[in-house]
Amino acid sequence: MKLNSPRGTADIYGEDIKYRDFITGCARKLFHTFGYNEIITPAFEHTELFSRGIGEGTDIVQKEMYTFRDRKGRSLTLRPEGTAPVVRAILEKNLLSQKVPLKLFYIGNMFRYERPQKGRMREFWQVGVESSGPDNPLMDAEVIWLLNLFFNNLGFRDLNLLVNSMGCPDCRMDYVVYLKEYLKGNLPGLCAECRSRYEKNPLRIFDCKVPECKKIMEDAPKIGGYLCGTCREHFLKVQGYLNELGIDYRIKHNLVRGFDYYTRTVFEVVSGKLESAQNALGGGGRYDNLISQFGGPDTPAIGFAVGIDRTAMLMKQSGIGYKDPLKGPRFYMVSLDEGSYDYALKILRVLRETGAASDINYTVRSIKTELKNALRNGYDYMIIIGENEAADRTVTLKSLDTHKQSIMKFEDFNDEILKITGNGRS
Ligand code: HAM
């Protein structure tokens, strides 16, 4: 039996958990400030949700989905992204009848069968938001502002925010004619995959990482030049609001993102410190037709998702620390003999019921061994209970930092712990 985790998956523990908690904690707090409520959707959905939602011609649907049949022969897929599932939930539970704009956020694991690399996993985690209702460019600016502020709050200062407009289906149709015209003459220079994309989904050629294809795409006509009047006006307004908010962004004319559901505004946050194939920490955009495409009311929407694993990796790499909400002194209780456990339990109860992180020795060992153990495990205080303490109802508290030891009456212990931990109610 193989005891290693499947390729492209990871066990997350130790310090990585602290980074994740910090990232998701910041997300929850900030998303709340912007009026978002959490939604949890299943880790798998009917395959059709993704093939129709993301688009049959996309890399994700063609090559990257974990699809399987259940025991009744139904085709199910581990979610490769969170937008289509949220839209499914909105429609199934009729959430738009309760509130518009409907602002939802999610935190969850996603699955894509990609070639694993540093920062690219087959199971990875995202935090994301989806806002349905207004097609007001103010909402686009608000969502981009939220993404930008999120990375700021985490402590990043040198990320690049890229913005573009992909237009509506009408202007995109016109644009694709010109794009194909340009590509026609360059077909022999494209890789085999891009040659097949030429017919099915020429916009995807912009995502190709093959240097020859990238070179050809640099000179390709840009969608920005083909936007219809309404889309151009929408994009100008988005830019105006972003300027008003003092947000530093750059328009990247060939940013087209890899899902078919996008319309108009799209954006990405990238880092120069990550390798180009996976330098995006987060991205998103408008998807004004997805809700109606699934049979719902004509409701525009916009959202983004951020890769938690990649973000944590870059934080570590850039020396950005995390604030640990669980940080506080940790206590280690040592009972020196079996007979003192009854009394030791009373003390442990005070510790845990006042919210102090604490442990007890479950095996009686010498005080020297216990001291070594406490230091090795990073405890801040040791509490030693022997026959004397149990008989006198006292507590011996030793700081492992200053090595100072104090003895107090059991009645005073509660207050002393509240003083040390700061856990007392104000
Ligand atoms: P996405 O650009 O595919 O967008 O993914 C968002 C982020 O997830 C990426 O920027 C990256 O940080 C992370 N990510 C993606 N694939 C992997 C991977 N294989 N390993 C590690 N991290 C990865 C979406 O998923 C859209 N649903 C975003 C959206 C929401 N658009 C509108 N609303």
Side-chain angles (χ1 to χ4, degrees):
M1 179 188 167
K2 275 194 185 167
L3 268 184
N4 50 330
S5 79
R7 195 164 132 76
T9 66
D11 299 308
I12 303 160
Y13 57 94
E15 189 166 60
D16 287 338
I17 290 285
K18 305 277 179 193
Y19 274 98
R20 300 170 71 80
D21 283 354
F22 178 63
I23 293 168
T24 52
C26 278
R28 278 182 204 286
K29 200 165 161 215
L30 185 64
F31 296 171
H32 170 77
T33 317
F34 276 65
Y36 285 81
N37 290 312
E38 185 165 4
I39 182 164
I40 300 175
T41 64
F44 57 86
E45 298 272 355
H46 295 295
T47 302
E48 210 191 348
L49 178 75
F50 300 115
S51 48
R52 282 184 45 204
I54 299 173
E56 292 284 1
T58 59
D59 275 4
I60 292 203
V61 171
Q62 293 270 310
K63 298 187 283 194
E64 296 172 3
M65 295 209 301
Y66 277 93
T67 297
F68 57 96
R69 294 216 172 259
D70 71 3
R71 285 171 186 274
K72 290 261 168 68
R74 287 169 288 229
S75 181
L76 300 170
T77 295
L78 297 183
R79 59 180 172 197
E81 61 103 47
T83 309
V86 168
V87 167
R88 195 263 312 134
I90 289 174
L91 294 178
E92 188 179 335
K93 301 294 176 314
N94 202 12
L95 300 180
L96 283 165
S97 66
Q98 295 169 17
K99 206 173 169 218
V100 176
L102 180 67
K103 293 177 168 185
L104 297 170
F105 81 87
Y106 51 90
I107 299 173
N109 49 350
M110 309 290 155
F111 307 85
R112 294 183 195 174
Y113 191 87
E114 291 190 88
R115 198 161 52 80
Q117 283 180 16
K118 207 162 175 262
R120 192 161 74 194
M121 309 285 295
R122 288 182 173 170
E123 183 190 25
F124 59 97
W125 291 74
Q126 283 186 342
V127 294
V129 306
E130 311 295 347
S131 168
S132 324
D135 72 346
N136 189 336
L138 191 62
M139 185 53 88
D140 307 42
E142 190 189 287
V143 167
I144 296 172
W145 172 26
L146 176 58
L147 178 66
N148 198 54
L149 192 55
F150 174 61
F151 284 114
N152 252 315
N153 288 359
L154 290 180
F156 286 103
R157 292 293 174 267
D158 55 356
L159 299 176
N160 300 312
L161 172 61
L162 310 173
V163 182
N164 195 20
S165 173
M166 291 178 66
C168 61
D170 287 345
C171 36
R172 203 175 316 159
M173 212 150 60
D174 287 348
Y175 166 67
V176 166
V177 172
Y178 288 98
L179 178 64
K180 284 181 89 170
E181 190 56 37
Y182 165 80
L183 288 171
K184 210 170 170 184
N186 287 289
L187 270 180
L190 293 175
C191 71
E193 197 161 339
C194 284
R195 282 201 299 274
S196 78
R197 284 173 176 147
Y198 173 81
E199 280 305 335
K200 281 189 279 179
N201 207 343
L203 279 181
R204 296 279 64 80
I205 302 179
F206 280 107
D207 300 333
C208 185
K209 302 291 184 283
V210 175
E212 289 75 22
C213 300
K214 277 173 101 170
K215 183 93 199 52
I216 290 173
M217 294 318 278
E218 267 168 29
D219 298 329
K222 309 288 180 275
I223 194 160
Y226 299 84
L227 295 181
C228 65
T230 350
C231 286
R232 195 170 326 120
E233 197 188 324
H234 184 96
F235 192 36
L236 282 173
K237 281 193 178 153
V238 175
Q239 293 169 53
Y241 292 132
L242 290 177
N243 295 339
E244 202 57 52
L245 287 160
I247 292 171
D248 193 11
Y249 65 94
R250 189 160 64 78
I251 296 178
K252 189 182 172 201
H253 292 286
N254 53 7
L255 179 69
V256 290
R257 299 204 28 90
F259 304 97
D260 283 356
Y261 54 59
Y262 286 119
T263 49
R264 294 192 169 168
T265 317
V266 287
F267 48 91
E268 241 167 43
V269 168
V270 299
S271 160
K273 289 188 186 153
L274 294 173
E275 279 174 37
S276 68
Q278 47 275 327
N279 64 354
L281 290 178
R286 263 202 176 276
Y287 48 96
D288 288 346
N289 303 320
L290 188 61
I291 296 179
S292 57
Q293 190 189 314
F294 279 130
D298 188 7
T299 314
I302 181 167
F304 67 72
V306 169
I308 299 180
D309 317 74
R310 247 179 233 184
T311 303
M313 189 177 90
L314 190 64
M315 282 177 76
K316 279 200 262 180
Q317 200 179 305
S318 317
I320 299 175
Y322 56 82
K323 276 198 222 101
D324 186 352
L326 300 178
K327 199 163 168 52
R330 291 168 63 234
F331 297 81
Y332 185 49
M333 291 238 6
V334 176
S335 182
L336 294 178
D337 58 280
E338 287 282 337
S340 303
Y341 271 128
D342 283 349
Y343 180 53
L345 259 185
K346 281 194 199 315
I347 294 171
L348 192 62
R349 195 172 155 202
V350 172
L351 284 166
R352 291 192 172 159
E353 291 185 3
T354 54
S358 42
D359 268 312
I360 188 166
N361 64 328
Y362 296 96
T363 317
V364 173
R365 292 184 297 190
S366 79
I367 181 87
K368 214 170 132 198
T369 312
E370 291 297 5
L371 187 60
K372 259 202 239 160
N373 179 40
L375 287 169
R376 195 177 52 230
N377 286 296
Y379 288 100
D380 302 282
Y381 290 89
M382 193 156 128
I383 293 164
I384 305 145
I385 303 297
E387 279 173 7
N388 292 345
E389 283 85 358
D392 304 347
R393 300 274 134 172
T394 54
V395 183
T396 304
L397 183 68
K398 182 183 174 66
S399 159
L400 296 174
D401 178 28
T402 63
H403 297 283
K404 271 198 197 137
Q405 194 161 303
S406 53
I407 301 179
M408 67 205 75
K409 285 199 231 128
F410 176 73
E411 294 76 48
D412 299 331
F413 181 62
N414 191 82
D415 285 352
E416 181 64 22
I417 293 302
L418 288 180
K419 228 190 287 165
I420 294 174
T421 57
N423 285 351
R425 280 173 206 273
S426 51

